[in-house]
Amino acid sequence: MDQLLVFINAYLVPGIVSGSIYALGAIGLTLLFGVLRFTHFAHGDVMTAGAYFALTAIGLFGLHPVLALPIAMVCTSALCLCINHFFYRPLMRRPSLVLTISSFGIALMIRASIQLLYGVESHYYVRGIQRSTDFLGTFRIVDRHIWIVCCAIVLMVALHLLLTYTRLGKAMRAVSDSPELARLTGISTLAIVKATWVIGGSLAAVAGVFLGWDGFIQANMGWDLLLPMSAAAILGGLGRPYGAMVGGLVIGLAEELSSYPWFGGDALLSPGYKTGVAFTIMVAMLIWRPNGLFGGRVQ
Amino acid sequence: MEIFVGYGNYTIALATMIGIYSIMALGLNIQWGLTGLFNLGIAGFFAVGAYASAILTTSETPKHIGGFDLPVVLAWPLAMIAAAFIAWAVARICIRLRADYLAIATIGIGEILRLIFKNEQWATGGTRGISNISRPFEQLPGIWAPLAFLGVVLILAMVAYWLAERGRTSPWGRVVQAIRDNEPAARAAGKNVETFRIQGFVIGSAFMGLAGALTAHYFKFVGPEATDPLQVTFLVWVMLIVGGNGSNRGAMLGAAVIWTMWSASELFSSRLSGDWAHRAPFVRLFLVGLILQIMLQYFPDGLMPRQRQITARLPRKPTIDQPQSSHILPPF
Amino acid sequence: MKDIVVPQSKAAPPGTGLSIKGISKSFGGLRAVDNCSFDVKRGSITGLIGPNGAGKTTLFSIITGFLSPDCGRITLDDVDVTRLAPHDLFHRGLVRTFQIPHEFSKLSVLENLMVVPANQPGENPITAWLRPGLVREREEQVFQEARNTLAFLGLEKVCDLPAGNLSGGQRKLVELGRAMMSGAGTVLLDEPGAGVNPTLLAQLSQMIMRLNSERGTTFCIIEHNMDMITSLCDTVVVMSSGSVLTQGHMSQIKKDDRVLAAYLGSSAVRALQ
Amino acid sequence: MQKSYPKLVTSTALCLWLVVSQSSAARADIRIGSLSALTGPAADLVKQVFAAEQAAIDEINSAGGILGQQATLISADTACNAQVGVDAANKLVNVEQVAAIVGGTCSGETIPAASNVAGPAGVLMVSPVSTSPEITKLDDKGVLFRVVPSDNFQGIYMARMLLSKGITKVALTYVNNDYGVGLAEAFRTAYLAGGGTIAGDSVHEDKKESYRAELATLAGGGAQTLVLFAIGDSSGLTIMRQSLESGLFEKFAVADGMKVSALLDGIGAENLEGRIIGSVPTAAVGPQSDRFKELYGHTDKFTFGYTFTAQGYDAAMITALAIEKAGSTDRRAILNAVRDVANAPGEVVGPGDWAKAVQLIKAGKDINYSGAAGDHEFDENGDIEGVFAEWTVKSGEVVVSPAVALGR
């Protein structure tokens, strides 16, 4: 196989796929940070919950994973609203770090509940394998990857429209930019907080379903993704949904491309360190550009 | 009779772990309770201490760096220094970050450390870890061996408590708490905020390194699973929040309560029958998460409220009533 | 309040004082401070007035190292101190207070003051652990200083309360108390009078004046209470929209129409009438 | 701290009192502990192993019990972690007063539990899962036995098997834990020594969503066969699926960790037809594993054929036999009885033969347990020699060839 094709098929495409998944998760993380001013450590486990909701739907009705998405989105949003109501809202007046600590515990509670209800085994949406389709005789892409990337793009465009053209979206951006200012102009913070949970939860659910579709569903899957997602959110600048989209793609690509044999025959970085790539980028970003790649504004 | 020896043994083991966790909780209290640093990478510094002490005390082996054969009295301080050094390097680059950024950065650094311990086989034994670590007093007969080690752990925990408490009541403790309460005012008061934060971070991490070293020698083994954030980082945080953030006594009490609950709850859950026996551990995890939520919402001060900063050993009845004092111009 | 006896010894220390030249600072598109220049002469009490949003507090933050200026130069006794960190400036004898009180909320009032003095050996953790005698000796000095300052401010009764439990006016006093504890030669006071009761305010003015005349402490004061400014200040600098509008003696300022225009019917107008 | 002691003491005392009052009723039972990582990274695997251990104990109880008493299997979660593992072992040995322990699972918990708790207390541990070569030379005071061969043996077997089939060029990837690393090291040495070429050799992290990049790098070496040391319902499955999907590798050589039903279900047996060869530690004598399949082939107690379930069953059986042989719950006697019941000579007993074994022991005859996963002849370190078989997938079924004993 030609070297370029190997590069595209085995490094670039998987990088874009996992990048899309990271981006969907990171958008929720970054929106929540913008509106509620805290880092939601349970976001990865919200993703896991979404994947299990879809699993239940697929198991019950035998749906295609894409058709199970709306069900997963609704259920996950409801879950997020409940968590917000019972656990985060009572702490809202306390320093935001208390919320962060709380979310650490919520993450554990979600994971334990899933393990309790569904057990610890890995689950699958689809059995068997899908042979990849040849496009133009060169690209070999699996159908579900096309689905994943397209759905991710559609959702991101929808989010863009929401943020740009609806009153709710504008209000969200306003709160994210300056909570005090937004409160002065009479924007109802409570409604915005709820909307943020719904959007963040839904996108996390989609990310979880895609992750499970591409690999497998397992109780720790979301937690393991929390750090790459945080890295993506920080890369794009916390509080900036567009930054998170780009950040997700960059992290996804960086992870895959780090093991490409750029120089000679060996992988650039031992795959044992693959998970470290995201953390390293993240720590480096925090030190040199804490406002993200596109962050000109000083906080 | 045997059962009482057994309960004795179990109590000793429980107390040993409580001692080790108290040292970690005290370290976290210095970082979070006093200095206000959000460290979620406890496991990383714990593991640095554990591996450092393990490498320094084991004899020559082809499986990892070794052959230093140092006695523990030297290895433990060196393990603390190793953890402190790593913490210093981390703090130098991360200490200016806002609190939640610091949290994410420390998680990331903890993970990077874990990957290094796991992958650098020549140094750490890789995934197999380091076994056959010596434990002080292990040659004593019967129950005396664990009892003597418990004594060592408790003495070290008391020393750690003494150091933490003396630090808290000293002018240093006053400054770091001032920085925690209001950073700009501390800057305006001429305090080099970065320096004090780095000191708090390094001292706290040295405590964690000591706890790591003690654990490695207690288990006679250290492996990359030792850096599991759930068992180390999360549990220690729950201990501090439950015990009372900002209070050294609270940190120790939290360690005792949470570890006892964590350990003893299984004695009941393992009696559940059938499928529930598998699931009981998850109920346990869920409950730990729930306890944290309840404490945060309803008992924000923990079991033992934050101790007031008390300037140590000064006359509480001031000399202000003496006539000459009012004639002294305040030191402007 | 008992009479305060000021030691007679100290004259104004030599030096030219604080000099600000061409300082500018922008936030995004907003030019908060625009090419400001003025001097605070050694031994003077300089007032800094101007309507809300004129950039006075921002300028204080730049001078004391909390913000970094975009351009310009600050000298203290002819030494360039531009962009030095707050703690460096503190050790060169330059301190500030905050407009909104910044107390150490969980420390007691006494401890709030005891934090401030420099050269406390106990601030090194190693010394704190190993040399308790040394630490204690200095602690007793600091304790007495703090006690005396609290007595002066009338805060003895609340000295063991956490500072976070105080009223707004009391916090303001704690703020001032910390500046007093610093022993600095140049003090920037950001609205020391706001929220303080009139009796205490008069004593405060008296105190500032005596410290200035008898010990030579230099002051730069942001204040909206024009009576206080008039009675205290030798020189007044007026800022408006980020730049220095005019400066001079209060009698000249009062005649300046631009100043009146800048305030547009705010408290200054009433003060002048 | 001063204040915390009364509370600590009270709470501990309260817990202990409750345990004593609870456990006194069950005193008459024979108590066997199970150290299992029911939570943590290997929870899915361990759940099945624990279920198989429980199945063995249930079988023993229905066939009359140990020493005429009912046996109870008391589980303690180790979370694959030293701290929790040692704590769990302490509870089993000291509070639950178990006669012997089946377990642990991850080597990272087995090693500290054996050297720290079971060793000093002289309690027998029979591990069904821990394959780390570290265990062989561990200072465990002779209490730790295992019914799985050290990774060293299986790696060597795999190397010889591939070479004997004329496969002389492979790519190697292994999961980054002690299981994968251990197998890979032994395999690499033996394969290279035997004249094979390893074109592409890389470790991978468990539970990532994509391994395509690693696979592409490995395929770059030009090998046709991928040697894959991983767990079959985790990274092993993902790697196999992704390499089949992208057409990078079509043939796989795997170890026992991949012989799980999840692999067949997840990828589909038709996709594996003729593509996979594997090694599995197995019984030298065929009838024992046939009997095991007959007993548990269609059980709902655990998933038959799941990795290490047969070993879990055997570990529980050997532990029970040792107690029966010792004639009491005296720990020292149990420890001394292990080799008597498991090693030759003696009359062979296997799965389902509990009543017969008890009769033989009562009659004073020597027995030799030969189990579902091997005949388990313990050497001086408590290790078993490797006896392996080759397995592959034919017409939708796992087919295991006759076993080969691996001489040292």
Side-chain angles (χ1 to χ4, degrees), chain B residues 119 131 135 218 263 266 271, chain D residues 22 77 91 116 134 176:
Chain B
N119 286 302
S131 46
R135 189 213 288 177
Y218 180 47
S263 173
E266 189 164 59
R271 292 199 147 59
Chain D
Q22 263 213 332
D77 177 30
K91 278 179 279 196
N116 187 350
E134 289 288 302
N176 198 5

Side-chain angles (χ1 to χ4, degrees), chain C residues 126-164:
Chain C
I126 307 290
T127 317
W129 285 336
L130 301 180
R131 306 278 305 276
L134 194 67
V135 174
R136 187 176 171 159
E137 202 177 297
R138 179 80 174 112
E139 274 290 85
E140 275 167 9
Q141 283 176 5
V142 173
F143 179 72
Q144 283 307 335
E145 287 175 23
R147 271 282 166 189
N148 293 338
T149 310
L150 285 178
F152 167 70
L153 294 167
L155 290 173
E156 311 104 305
K157 288 204 176 62
V158 294
C159 74
D160 281 334
L161 284 185

